[in-house]
Amino acid sequence: MEGIDHLADERNKAEFDVDEMKIVWAGSRQAFEVSDRIARLVASDPVFEKSDRGRLSRKELFKSTLKKCAHAWKRIIELRLTEEEAGRLRFFVDQPAFVDLHWGMFVPAIKGQGTEEQQQKWLSLANKMQIIGCYAQTELGHGSNVQGLETTATFDPKTDEFVIHSPTQTSSKWWPGGLGKVSTHAVVYARLITDGKDYGVHGFIVQLRSLEDHSPLPNIIVGDIGTKMGNGAYNSMDNGFLMFDQVRIPRDQMLMRLAKVTKEGKYVPSDVPKQLMYGTMVYVRQTIVADASNALSRAVCIATRYSAVRRQFGAKNGGSETQVIDYKTQQNRLFPLLASAYAFRFVGEWLKWLYTDVTARLQASDFATLPEAHACTAGLKSLTTTATADGIEECRKLCGGHGYLWCSGLPELFAVYVPACTYEGDNIVLQLQVARFLMKTVSQLGSGKAPVGTTAYMARAEHLLQCRSGVQKAADWLNPAAVLEAFEARALRMAVACAKNLSKFENQEQGFSELLAELVEAAVAHCQLIVVSKFIAKLEQDIGGRGVKEQLSNLCYIYALHILHKHLGDFLSTNSITPKQASLANDQLRSLYTLVRPNAVALVDAFNYTDHYLNSVLGRYDGNVYPKLFEEAWKDPLNDSVVPDGYQEYIRPLIKQQLRTARL
């Protein structure tokens, strides 16, 4: 059985060039080659072994993480990897660690908010990892409401220092990754107070631990917040708490690109527009959307391969049972997730372009597209992370009982991924930000100010409010114009309905509070339209290879029509489509599932994930599931002995009826 490809028949069914699809998935041939080379490098290195993660104690897990991070840095230096290659190496090592926050938050914060002098000083140290940083914003009492943070930074002109202080228990920093045990420094967000006036939240670089013996500096209380959900998972990360007791730092450790405090204590805003801060936010959120595609595709790869291996029911005359993937109920749950993985990949590519465009505009002091870009990235972060967290759990269910085993790879993946629904903006709060932007856009429709970017469709409000879908047969739902018009009409009509309901309230904020649920639904409709439109736009590009475009087209319409089915109430209540057209959409959806079925395994092969990265017995490339499940079972510490520890004390007395009973 070893070495046999149990999925060979499935792979032979493919109607497209898998190698070409791998390049489309990676974004370019160069990106594919880099990713493929680094993935194999990591998979072949025994230091990066991770199949025992679920059996390690918290301390063992954390120490193994430190070992892997140190080894990864050693390899990066030895092989002289580029920044892109180093990022791919950390991705394929696949273990949440302090380096994620160092490179992903600490360094970008200094780049975005530090002066040139501060960048030269701190980034030269951070880039060599001579200091290790984290991002200390969230507090015990406040997360999404950044303006409600309680930590203070009070300027003392006598000593030319800021005094960082935690005035309450709820002001303690809580959750920053890397803070608990590793970080030597942090970008700390605190309320800047000078000359008795509170100037709101600003960033400060604060040293937390000695660079000699790693002990916390005086008047700093710091530690790990404890075990989190799941075996392994995010427990390899030292999420921490932090409290300050009148800790003094030099004045020049305030990040001063956007504002500074003079020696005399005067607060001076800089000439640099505050809007530049949003560039960093757009960057972080576009990486989160890319991560959503990675996580969902990983879960879908496992569920698809196992669905093709697993057989249940349907045997006739002693023949084989039916492959689970052949059941329409399985396809109806699995294939929309496969389509979503591709959809999120392509909208993530577009967001990368958007970040470049916004950054160039900001440098030229062009802020026209910034509100739309901010709303768009906030909404897509919320939409993709929610769908991905739900999708990973659905993939676990699609794998039946075996999906519940740690070695399936799915429970740990879920536990690692689900915090994304909360960090960098709670998903509901973010959709409300989108809703506010939509309400403002709707209110300006008659003013002559044209909506831009992803809201450009609202300029055709008069048509979209009156049009009726022209779909007459199932195949009409493969017309991109018909699909886009239905999604645009639904999104616009929901936004306009919310605006009308808001206008009935004398107090706008009271109305907003009352209509929160409807506003979130309108924001979600707008964001789903963006994803559909960017997938359709991808199909218009020159993406070659045998059958590649046909497969992507099938997935695009599966994504769109499944969303239509899932949110049918919205489409019908806004009269964007008729019940008959909804029925035709379902007919077309079933036909698309049939087209995808022979290509399903090849479509997940195109993600090009190694068995090391997947870390799943169920999702193995060779499909050799059952012998490997037994191998993993025997590795469990409970199987180290035939008779369990505790037999003599507890089990034997029980079955021999030798338990002593207490006398009253």
Side-chain angles (χ1 to χ4, degrees), residues 423-582:
Y423 61 59
E424 289 310 301
D426 174 85
N427 282 357
I428 296 299
V429 173
L430 289 180
Q431 290 295 13
L432 289 171
Q433 292 178 12
V434 178
R436 284 189 183 276
F437 171 73
L438 292 177
M439 294 305 96
K440 186 174 181 180
T441 305
V442 169
S443 71
Q444 294 173 340
L445 286 180
S447 67
K449 185 177 180 181
V452 296
T454 56
T455 56
Y457 68 97
M458 289 188 170
R460 295 181 288 110
E462 190 172 345
H463 167 74
L464 290 172
L465 288 171
Q466 296 175 356
C467 68
R468 292 289 177 267
S469 174
V471 168
Q472 294 182 336
K473 57 185 184 299
D476 290 345
W477 279 118
L478 301 181
N479 178 346
V483 171
L484 281 174
E485 186 177 73
F487 273 78
E488 287 173 348
R490 168 218 183 194
L492 180 75
R493 292 174 191 188
M494 289 176 73
V496 167
C498 283
K500 283 181 179 176
N501 287 332
L502 273 175
S503 67
K504 297 173 184 175
F505 291 85
E506 288 184 21
N507 183 314
Q508 184 85 357
E509 284 306 308
Q510 183 198 351
F512 209 88
S513 179
E514 286 291 324
L515 297 171
L516 287 177
E518 291 92 329
L519 287 160
V520 167
E521 288 171 359
V524 168
H526 171 69
C527 294
Q528 288 170 339
L529 165 62
I530 296 173
V531 178
V532 169
S533 67
K534 298 310 170 190
F535 206 154
I536 288 174
K538 182 72 177 181
L539 298 178
E540 294 168 355
Q541 296 176 13
D542 182 22
I543 37 181
R546 179 173 66 88
V548 165
K549 185 169 282 193
E550 288 84 347
Q551 295 307 315
L552 291 178
S553 178
N554 292 339
L555 292 173
C556 175
Y557 293 110
I558 283 176
Y559 179 79
L561 297 181
H562 179 74
I563 293 292
L564 186 150
H565 175 73
K566 188 176 176 183
H567 296 270
L568 190 54
D570 292 345
F571 285 91
L572 292 177
S573 65
T574 56
N575 291 318
S576 302
I577 63 172
T578 65
K580 173 64 176 173
Q581 290 166 336

Side-chain angles (χ1 to χ4, degrees), residues 21-28 31-32 35 88 91-92 286-298 337-352 384 388 531 534-535 538 552 559 606-609 613:
M21 189 69 88
K22 287 178 180 179
I23 292 167
V24 172
W25 175 263
S28 69
F32 163 71
S35 189
R88 296 310 290 166
F91 170 77
F92 285 116
Q286 65 94 11
T287 62
I288 291 175
V289 173
D291 288 343
S293 171
N294 292 330
L296 183 56
S297 60
R298 185 171 171 177
L337 296 176
L338 174 61
S340 297
Y342 276 90
F344 296 168
R345 190 70 168 189
F346 300 141
V347 83
E349 280 181 8
W350 173 74
L351 279 179
K352 193 178 281 188
T384 58
T388 297
V531 178
K534 298 310 170 190
F535 206 154
K538 182 72 177 181
L552 291 178
Y559 179 79
F607 303 148
N608 202 38
Y609 293 145
Y613 177 68

Side-chain angles (χ1 to χ4, degrees), residues 119-363:
Q119 289 181 34
Q120 286 172 5
K121 175 181 177 180
W122 296 104
L123 292 181
S124 62
L125 296 169
N127 287 335
K128 295 173 188 171
M129 295 205 79
Q130 291 174 315
I131 62 172
I132 298 170
C134 68
Y135 187 87
Q137 177 174 294
T138 298
E139 294 177 355
L140 189 58
H142 289 92
S144 297
N145 181 14
V146 176
Q147 298 310 312
L149 296 180
E150 299 176 85
T151 304
T152 57
T154 307
F155 183 64
D156 182 354
K158 295 174 186 173
T159 59
D160 198 28
E161 293 173 317
F162 281 101
V163 181
I164 313 292
H165 186 59
S166 307
T168 63
Q169 189 175 54
T170 51
S171 71
S172 60
K173 296 299 177 183
W174 194 275
W175 275 115
L179 171 64
K181 292 295 171 185
V182 178
S183 296
T184 61
H185 291 68
V187 170
V188 175
Y189 288 86
R191 311 192 72 80
L192 192 160
I193 299 168
T194 182
D195 199 22
K197 186 174 178 184
D198 184 337
Y199 286 91
V201 175
H202 290 67
F204 301 83
I205 299 174
V206 184
Q207 184 172 348
L208 307 176
R209 293 179 169 95
S210 163
L211 294 176
E212 298 303 319
D213 64 6
H214 208 61
S215 59
L217 296 185
N219 302 320
I220 288 177
I221 300 171
V222 61
D224 186 276
I225 62 172
T227 305
K228 284 128 343 208
M229 175 175 154
N231 281 20
Y234 239 93
N235 290 303
S236 56
M237 178 79 83
D238 55 325
N239 298 89
F241 61 81
L242 172 66
M243 293 196 80
F244 301 100
D245 184 10
Q246 310 290 346
V247 173
R248 290 178 172 269
I249 62 169
R251 177 172 56 89
D252 66 5
Q253 285 180 217
M254 169 189 170
L255 291 173
M256 293 191 182
R257 188 180 181 194
L258 300 178
K260 67 178 181 179
V261 172
T262 66
K263 286 185 179 180
E264 297 74 32
K266 185 181 179 186
Y267 181 83
V268 184
S270 77
D271 296 333
V272 177
K274 283 193 174 182
Q275 288 96 326
L276 286 177
M277 282 278 288
Y278 288 109
T280 305
M281 193 179 294
V282 171
Y283 168 76
V284 171
R285 287 180 178 159
Q286 65 94 11
T287 62
I288 291 175
V289 173
D291 288 343
S293 171
N294 292 330
L296 183 56
S297 60
R298 185 171 171 177
V300 167
C301 184
I302 294 168
T304 301
R305 287 176 178 170
Y306 182 60
S307 294
V309 169
R310 185 74 166 176
R311 292 176 178 271
Q312 293 287 292
F313 306 111
K316 292 180 181 177
N317 303 320
S320 297
E321 291 180 277
T322 303
Q323 288 171 279
V324 170
I325 199 170
D326 284 331
Y327 289 107
K328 284 293 181 183
T329 46
Q330 193 82 350
Q331 294 176 12
N332 188 48
R333 296 160 66 196
L334 179 60
F335 291 170
L337 296 176
L338 174 61
S340 297
Y342 276 90
F344 296 168
R345 190 70 168 189
F346 300 141
V347 83
E349 280 181 8
W350 173 74
L351 279 179
K352 193 178 281 188
W353 169 85
L354 180 70
Y355 168 67
T356 305
D357 180 67
V358 166
T359 302
R361 288 173 181 268
L362 292 177
Q363 298 297 344

Side-chain angles (χ1 to χ4, degrees), residues 644-658:
D645 293 344
Y647 168 75
Q648 292 293 345
E649 300 99 313
Y650 308 112
I651 301 176
R652 182 180 171 82
L654 182 67
I655 60 179
K656 296 294 185 182
Q657 300 293 297
Q658 292 172 348

Side-chain angles (χ1 to χ4, degrees), residues 371-407:
E372 185 264 338
H374 176 245
C376 166
T377 52
L380 288 174
K381 182 270 178 188
S382 174
L383 181 80
T384 58
T385 55
T386 298
T388 297
D390 292 346
I392 295 168
E393 169 61 6
E394 187 68 6
C395 285
R396 183 191 67 76
K397 295 174 186 172
L398 284 164
C399 291
H402 296 335
Y404 192 63
L405 286 169
W406 186 88
C407 66

